[in-house]
């Protein structure tokens, strides 16, 4: 009976168009942020922060970037890890070539570099779509990794190709512990998720969804396909580039091409499919599911004393089964299940 909107009257258009129009949703969001900012750094172990929460937030940001392109604009992409690599290496080179450059500004410049690469490789979307577009973005993955491997300037002439990332120092404060890195990543992800949510509710987001649903009809009513599609590629690549920079600096501690392989692109795609295509919340739910599932499967395999050969492939088998399950049973993923649960809670105990 607590989750009701009875008595919550809207007296202005601004109040009616809030992101969270129900008071209980706003209270729950603020409570969740308070727990994430205050309680988690105080009580979570360094392992939980470094191995679970930080990668969860970074993958959520990368999945959000892919969701903007695939879920809202309808452009299938398999090159997410390549755009993350561009953001990471561009941020490293900006910090290495421009002494005194703020770290956050380097992350932004890395994201802009990824956006320019995304625009360049998004040009085929003006002519092709579907699986053919996915194949062209797959070429992005191999081309970017090849460039990072074969051009010594990008890796600062490192013989091994593995570079130690610079320390994160912002306004003289060094983010060198797991709790500090966690708070930094949390702040960046929260701000960018809010910006993405507002962007999707604006004219830009509506143009993306119009092109996704039927691009010919969208062009007839006045949307410019080239501008809309390339803007989607740019914004998506920017988000992935910032996520790649955070992945290198806050999680790995190194900048290396092999960290951004094709497997990472597919993992982020699985996050979008399982979490929910075309949903900001789905990006976070999918990332949480993909990050936590190997932990639970490892505990499950050890508890049953499964052979090593079975335990090592259990994760892949479960991932494949879940992808097929969600595509058949609930194509909109965990976000849709969460929405159905909230709707039933609002009507409980009345069935209709």
């Amino acid at each position: 009976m607590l989750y009701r909107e009875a008595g919550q009257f809207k007296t202005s258009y601004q109040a009616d168009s809030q992101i969270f129009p129900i008071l209980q949703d706003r209270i729950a969001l603020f409570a969740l942020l308070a727990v994430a900012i205050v309680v988690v750094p105080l009580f979570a172990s360094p392992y939980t922060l470094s191995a679970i929460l930080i990668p969860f937030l970074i993958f959520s940001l990368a999945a959000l970037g892919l969701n903007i392109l695939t879920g809202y604009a309808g452009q299938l992409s398999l090159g997410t890890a390549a755009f993350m690599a561009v953001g990471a290496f561009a941020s490293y080179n900006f910090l290495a070539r421009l002494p005194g450059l703020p770290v956050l500004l380097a992350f932004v410049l890395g994201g802009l570099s990824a956006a320019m690469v995304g625009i360049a490789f998004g040009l085929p979307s003006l002519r092709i779509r579907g699986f053919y577009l996915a194949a062209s973005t797959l070429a992005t993955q191999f081309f970017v990794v090849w460039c990072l491997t074969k051009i010594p300037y990008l890796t600062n002439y490192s013989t091994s190709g593995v570079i130690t990332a610079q320390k994160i120092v912002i306004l003289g404060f060094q983010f060198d512990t797991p709790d500090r890195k966690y708070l930094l990543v949390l702040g960046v992800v929260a701000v960018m998720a809010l910006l993405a949510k507002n962007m999707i509710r604006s004219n830009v987001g509506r143009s993306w969804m119009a092109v996704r649903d039927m691009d010919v009809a969208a062009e007839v009513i006045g949307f410019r396909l080239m501008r809309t599609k390339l803007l989607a590629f740019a914004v998506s690549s920017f988000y992935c580039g910032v996520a790649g920079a955070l992945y290198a600096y806050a999680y790995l501690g190194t900048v290396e091409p092999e960290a951004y392989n094709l497997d990472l692109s597919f993992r982020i795609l699985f996050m979008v499919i399982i979490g929910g295509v075309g949903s900001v919340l789905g990006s976070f739910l999918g990332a949480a599911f993909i990050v936590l599932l190997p932990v639970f499967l490892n505990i499950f395999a050890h508890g049953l004393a499964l052979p090593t050969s079975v335990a090592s492939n259990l994760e892949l088998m479960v991932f494949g089964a879940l992808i097929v399950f969600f595509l058949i049973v609930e194509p909109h993923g965990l976000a849709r299940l969460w929405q159905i649960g909230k709707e039933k809670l609002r009507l409980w105990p009345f069935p209709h």
Side-chain angles (χ1 to χ4, degrees), residues 67-68 70-72 200 209 212 272 276-283 332 335:
N67 222 336
I68 289 174
T70 302
Y72 289 102
I200 290 162
M209 288 181 273
R212 174 197 65 191
V272 173
V277 179
S279 169
V280 174
L281 176 63
S283 303
H332 295 287

Side-chain angles (χ1 to χ4, degrees), residues 202-287:
S202 67
N203 292 333
V204 174
R206 286 191 284 270
S207 67
W208 289 340
M209 288 181 273
V211 171
R212 174 197 65 191
D213 294 338
M214 187 175 291
D215 54 355
V216 176
E219 188 176 20
V220 169
I221 64 176
F223 289 110
R224 290 186 286 179
L225 291 186
M226 182 178 73
R227 176 182 176 182
T228 303
K229 289 184 177 181
L230 293 185
L231 181 61
F233 269 95
V235 174
S236 171
S237 302
F238 177 82
Y239 271 69
C240 294
V242 175
L246 291 174
Y247 188 63
Y249 281 83
Y251 178 57
L252 295 177
T254 58
V255 185
E256 51 183 309
E258 294 302 320
Y260 305 93
N261 52 21
L262 184 60
D263 179 65
L264 181 59
S265 294
F266 279 108
R267 286 182 63 191
I268 296 172
L269 181 61
F270 294 162
M271 294 175 191
V272 173
I273 295 174
I274 293 176
V277 179
S279 169
V280 174
L281 176 63
S283 303
F284 288 88
L285 295 178

Side-chain angles (χ1 to χ4, degrees), residues 77-158:
S77 173
L78 296 177
T80 308
F83 301 128
M84 293 177 66
V86 172
F89 277 87
S91 299
Y92 169 80
N93 280 280
F94 278 120
L95 288 173
R97 317 292 177 188
L98 302 174
L101 184 71
V103 174
L104 291 180
L105 181 57
F107 290 170
V108 173
L109 293 174
L112 292 175
S113 301
M116 290 188 289
V117 175
I119 291 175
F121 284 94
L123 290 174
S125 68
L126 304 177
R127 291 291 184 180
I128 57 178
R129 67 186 70 177
F131 292 110
Y132 299 101
L133 179 60
S136 69
T137 56
L138 187 62
T140 310
Q141 176 70 40
F142 295 109
F143 178 75
V144 168
V145 173
W146 179 85
C147 288
L148 296 176
T149 306
K150 299 298 182 181
I151 302 177
Y153 179 82
L154 299 177
T155 58
N156 203 19
Y157 301 98
S158 172

Side-chain angles (χ1 to χ4, degrees), residues 332-348:
H332 295 287
L334 295 173
R336 177 57 183 166
L337 297 179
W338 173 259
Q339 183 182 3
I340 293 174
K342 287 176 61 178
E343 291 173 355
K344 290 184 178 296
L345 185 61
R346 290 168 68 182
L347 295 175
W348 183 86

Side-chain angles (χ1 to χ4, degrees), residues 46 49-50 54 173-183 250:
L49 293 171
S50 300
I54 290 178
F173 188 79
Q174 187 168 337
F175 292 82
D176 54 352
T177 60
D179 55 339
R180 294 178 179 179
K181 291 181 179 179
Y182 162 76
L183 289 174

